[in-house]
């Protein structure tokens, strides 16, 4: 398993990054993207994991749970 960290400048950059990251990778995005109409639906349907950056503990829990799942299922 591995993690790719990307610093993007705009919310729509995520859609472009999905095209260049390896298969079986799942991006993590800020929860606000989920409420951006068509972009939000596309992100949700493609399996993006959303985190709430304003609630630090919740974000840490989501990322920790994702890491445990990656290790347990030995996926990237």
């Amino acid at each position: 398993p591995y993690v790719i960290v990307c610093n993007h400048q705009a919310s729509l950059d995520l859609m472009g990054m999905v095209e260049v990251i390896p298969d079986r990778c799942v991006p993590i995005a800020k929860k606000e993207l989920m409420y951006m109409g068509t972009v939000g639906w596309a992100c949700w349907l493609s399996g993006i994991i959303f985190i709430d950056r304003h609630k630090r503990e919740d974000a840490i829990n989501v990322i920790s749970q994702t890491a445990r799942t990656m290790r347990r299922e030995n996926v990237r």
Side-chain angles (χ1 to χ4, degrees):
Y2 57 89
V3 176
I4 299 172
V5 179
C6 301
N7 183 13
H8 55 92
Q9 298 297 317
S11 300
L12 296 176
D13 291 350
L14 186 61
M15 301 308 282
M17 289 183 343
V18 170
E19 290 297 319
V20 297
I21 60 175
D23 292 339
R24 295 179 31 165
C25 284
V26 178
I28 297 176
K30 59 185 176 181
K31 193 173 185 176
E32 292 86 1
L33 282 180
M34 191 167 38
Y35 305 111
M36 290 185 62
T38 308
V39 173
W41 276 98
C43 291
W44 182 71
L45 289 172
S46 65
I48 290 178
I49 298 171
F50 295 99
I51 60 169
D52 190 350
R53 299 187 308 165
H54 299 292
K55 296 180 181 175
R56 186 174 189 268
E57 289 297 319
D58 290 347
I60 290 171
N61 287 336
V62 169
I63 292 172
S64 296
Q65 181 180 1
T66 302
R68 282 192 297 273
T69 302
M70 288 173 67
R71 282 191 215 114
R72 183 179 62 244
E73 297 179 13
N74 194 26
V75 296
R76 298 186 272 195

